[in-house]
Amino acid sequence: MEITEFVETLRLDGALLADAADEAGPDAPVPSCPQWRVRDLVVHMGRIHRWATGFVTEPRMRPSRPDEAPELADDELVPWLREGHHRLVLALHGAPRDLETWVFLPAPSPLAFWARRQAHETSVHRADAQQAAGVPLTPLPSRFAADGVDELLTGFHSTARSALHADPPRTLRLRATDTHGADWTVRLTDGPPQTVRTPAADADGAAAGGAADCTVEGPAERLYLALWNRLPWDALKVTGDPAPAELWREHGAP
């Protein structure tokens, strides 16, 4: 996907997140994050958007923690969220393509990283806000959702921080049924997971060393949200040994 596509998705989902948070009210529980109320969700996103904006507008090569949120009355929360989101969108739109700044996952460029990461961060939490408000989830483009699955597998779960470990090794195939090429085989071992694109010609989901132990498939949006633990896994089709899918349910969401 192009950087401009990520920024446009960020723009749209950020507005939807704020609208849903406003409708739900600050004390509404967030079903997908049981420890949170909407107030916590808004504060989290307001901090993250401003944190990301800082790396784009004031480039630096060292990590830093998001600033604490200011003391805000309940009726100030959503306007504060909207302001930070707007500043992030403008920063990404105006940033130079050769931006050099810190990133924490592999990416074609720092600008591509921050546009992609913030688009997916905002989309997942937009789903949280809409669930808290009790309104239907706004559909995601299948191509964007498939990209989010790829970010999870080849980004977050390519590092030593991944909690997905299996001994003896297992293979997990993940396939978006509505998106061409959105098909991955993940080898789970006692080290970081190893993900490869499943060859298109391999209709049976064979991985290096044989067929996948477990296959999880469904439309890209359902796959994306379930892997982030925002939808129940019964929205997906699971075949083979259920243990790798259960491992993901317990340890897969970053």
Side-chain angles (χ1 to χ4, degrees):
M1 290 180 61
E2 297 293 327
I3 291 171
T4 54
E5 295 177 274
F6 287 122
V7 176
E8 178 62 9
T9 301
L10 166 65
R11 185 185 70 81
L12 294 171
D13 273 344
L16 290 168
L17 191 163
D19 290 345
D22 199 27
E23 182 171 349
D27 290 318
V30 181
S32 46
C33 301
Q35 73 277 21
W36 274 3
R37 300 284 173 170
V38 165
R39 179 184 295 103
D40 303 302
L41 173 61
V42 169
V43 168
H44 170 75
M45 289 308 302
R47 294 177 67 206
I48 291 297
H49 284 165
R50 286 167 171 79
W51 175 72
T53 299
F55 283 104
V56 176
T57 60
E58 300 175 21
R60 49 196 183 273
M61 302 310 296
R62 287 176 168 269
S64 64
R65 296 182 62 82
D67 291 339
E68 293 298 322
E71 292 292 332
L72 297 168
D74 283 347
D75 62 356
E76 297 174 309
L77 285 168
V78 172
W80 177 76
L81 173 66
R82 292 189 194 275
E83 178 194 12
H85 167 250
H86 181 64
R87 287 170 52 195
L88 175 59
V89 171
L90 290 180
L92 291 168
H93 268 308
R97 294 292 166 141
D98 61 353
L99 174 72
E100 291 292 333
T101 194
W102 177 78
V103 301
F104 59 87
L105 293 176
S109 71
L111 182 57
F113 165 79
W114 284 107
R116 182 194 203 194
R117 176 82 289 277
Q118 289 305 299
H120 287 301
E121 178 82 5
T122 303
S123 288
V124 168
H125 287 305
R126 183 266 301 161
D128 290 336
Q130 290 183 328
Q131 289 174 337
V135 300
L137 297 184
T138 301
L140 280 172
S142 59
R143 187 159 163 259
F144 175 79
D147 180 82
V149 175
D150 191 77
E151 186 199 40
L152 268 173
L153 297 176
T154 65
F156 286 104
H157 288 297
S158 68
T159 73
R161 296 183 65 184
S162 173
L164 290 175
H165 302 294
D167 187 14
R170 293 286 187 270
T171 52
L172 172 65
R173 182 190 183 195
L174 299 164
R175 186 173 79 91
T177 54
D178 58 351
T179 309
H180 178 72
D183 198 334
W184 304 264
T185 297
V186 186
R187 181 169 171 78
L188 304 172
T189 67
D190 58 359
Q194 301 170 0
T195 298
V196 296
R197 288 273 184 168
T198 307
D202 186 1
D204 295 324
D213 295 303
C214 176
T215 297
V216 178
E217 54 192 339
E221 182 182 22
R222 290 187 195 173
L223 188 63
Y224 175 57
L225 292 174
L227 292 176
W228 275 101
N229 291 337
R230 264 57 186 190
L231 280 184
W233 278 60
D234 57 14
L236 302 171
K237 180 181 178 183
V238 179
T239 55
D241 179 2
E246 185 61 32
L247 178 68
W248 186 288
R249 279 195 290 267
E250 294 177 357
H251 302 291

